[in-house]
Amino acid sequence: MLVCLPKTNRSVHTEEYRPLTLLNADYKMLSRIIVNRLRPWMNDDLHPSQHCGIRDNNILGAISALRETIANAELTNELTCLLSLDFKGAFDKIAHSYLFAILASHGFSTCFQQRLQRMYGNATSSVQVNGHISSPLPIKCSVRQGCPLSMLLFTICLDPLLRMLDDKLNAIKTRGRKKRTAVIAYADDVTIIL
């Protein structure tokens, strides 16, 4: 169920409502089990510039890497451009067909993909606005924000972009770091360094 809460007393337009997804307990427990099984894999297979969902990487690491890059640019007087991207509604725009293609390209087993397809494949949601509930609507894209599994699935889907950016850009080397830094990401917040 998707409940749309008004942001103001006189909400009229869709952007004036805050969508809140309500998931049942069985779904959340299954999602949490899958998350616990995915976490060890995330460290080995995702691009190291992704600071979300990876053990020992967090938002503070992303901020620290960004500050280091800026400090190095100031110290060396090197021209540097930082391009910060925040994908609006990113979780809602992940097509399920893309999600499953990415999982296959990462080598996830057919059995694992089929489990996720059962969770996402025939998903429907009703929308509640001002006390009125719609008929069930099929969900063909999105990873459910608020679901324990969503953040990890989103980072897997973003991984090809991070790898492509890292390969194509001339990145800056920072003092004390052996690896170059071309992109720094935390979920859907991506900073590109030129």
Side-chain angles (χ1 to χ4, degrees), residues 98-185:
Y98 176 75
L99 169 64
F100 294 117
I102 292 297
L103 290 174
S105 73
H106 276 283
F108 281 96
S109 72
T110 305
C111 181
F112 178 79
Q113 291 179 56
Q114 287 171 346
R115 280 193 189 118
L116 280 183
Q117 284 173 341
R118 281 194 290 274
M119 291 172 69
Y120 280 90
N122 296 319
T124 61
S125 189
S126 297
V127 180
Q128 179 180 346
V129 181
N130 297 332
H132 301 284
I133 300 174
S134 74
S135 301
L137 305 166
I139 299 173
K140 298 294 180 192
C141 66
S142 88
V143 288
R144 296 175 180 105
Q145 202 157 359
C147 166
L149 187 55
S150 293
M151 189 68 78
L152 295 182
L153 291 177
F154 183 80
T155 58
I156 292 168
C157 287
L158 192 64
D159 193 60
L161 173 66
L162 299 180
R163 290 182 185 283
M164 187 269 309
L165 288 171
D166 192 48
D167 287 344
K168 301 291 180 189
L169 297 176
N170 292 325
I172 296 169
K173 292 182 182 176
T174 57
R175 286 186 323 144
R177 283 189 173 216
K178 292 179 178 136
K179 287 188 169 185
R180 62 190 181 91
T181 303
V183 62
I184 299 167

Side-chain angles (χ1 to χ4, degrees), residues 1-189:
M1 164 100 40
L2 182 69
V3 178
C4 297
L5 302 175
K7 294 179 181 178
T8 65
N9 289 339
R10 295 180 179 246
S11 296
V12 177
H13 304 286
T14 55
E15 61 272 359
E16 295 171 339
Y17 284 86
R18 177 171 287 113
L20 189 67
T21 304
L22 305 176
L23 303 170
N24 67 34
D26 293 349
Y27 180 89
K28 283 189 167 185
M29 286 185 348
L30 178 59
S31 295
R32 181 60 61 194
I33 290 168
I34 294 171
V35 165
N36 290 337
R37 292 188 179 181
L38 273 179
R39 282 219 190 268
W41 171 85
M42 301 290 280
N43 288 10
D44 297 332
D45 206 46
L46 285 185
H47 194 275
S49 66
Q50 178 60 262
H51 289 264
C52 178
I54 299 176
R55 194 176 358 163
D56 299 330
N57 268 2
N58 55 37
I59 196 161
L60 297 176
I63 293 168
S64 176
L66 190 54
R67 284 185 174 173
E68 247 181 65
T69 301
I70 293 168
N72 185 66
E74 288 176 351
L75 182 67
T76 61
N77 207 21
E78 193 170 0
L79 289 177
T80 304
C81 177
L82 300 177
L83 176 63
S84 289
L85 305 173
D86 183 2
F87 300 103
K88 184 178 179 182
F91 287 77
D92 300 336
K93 295 185 176 64
I94 300 289
H96 292 170
S97 57
Y98 176 75
L99 169 64
F100 294 117
I102 292 297
L103 290 174
S105 73
H106 276 283
F108 281 96
S109 72
T110 305
C111 181
F112 178 79
Q113 291 179 56
Q114 287 171 346
R115 280 193 189 118
L116 280 183
Q117 284 173 341
R118 281 194 290 274
M119 291 172 69
Y120 280 90
N122 296 319
T124 61
S125 189
S126 297
V127 180
Q128 179 180 346
V129 181
N130 297 332
H132 301 284
I133 300 174
S134 74
S135 301
L137 305 166
I139 299 173
K140 298 294 180 192
C141 66
S142 88
V143 288
R144 296 175 180 105
Q145 202 157 359
C147 166
L149 187 55
S150 293
M151 189 68 78
L152 295 182
L153 291 177
F154 183 80
T155 58
I156 292 168
C157 287
L158 192 64
D159 193 60
L161 173 66
L162 299 180
R163 290 182 185 283
M164 187 269 309
L165 288 171
D166 192 48
D167 287 344
K168 301 291 180 189
L169 297 176
N170 292 325
I172 296 169
K173 292 182 182 176
T174 57
R175 286 186 323 144
R177 283 189 173 216
K178 292 179 178 136
K179 287 188 169 185
R180 62 190 181 91
T181 303
V183 62
I184 299 167
Y186 187 83
D188 64 334
D189 296 314

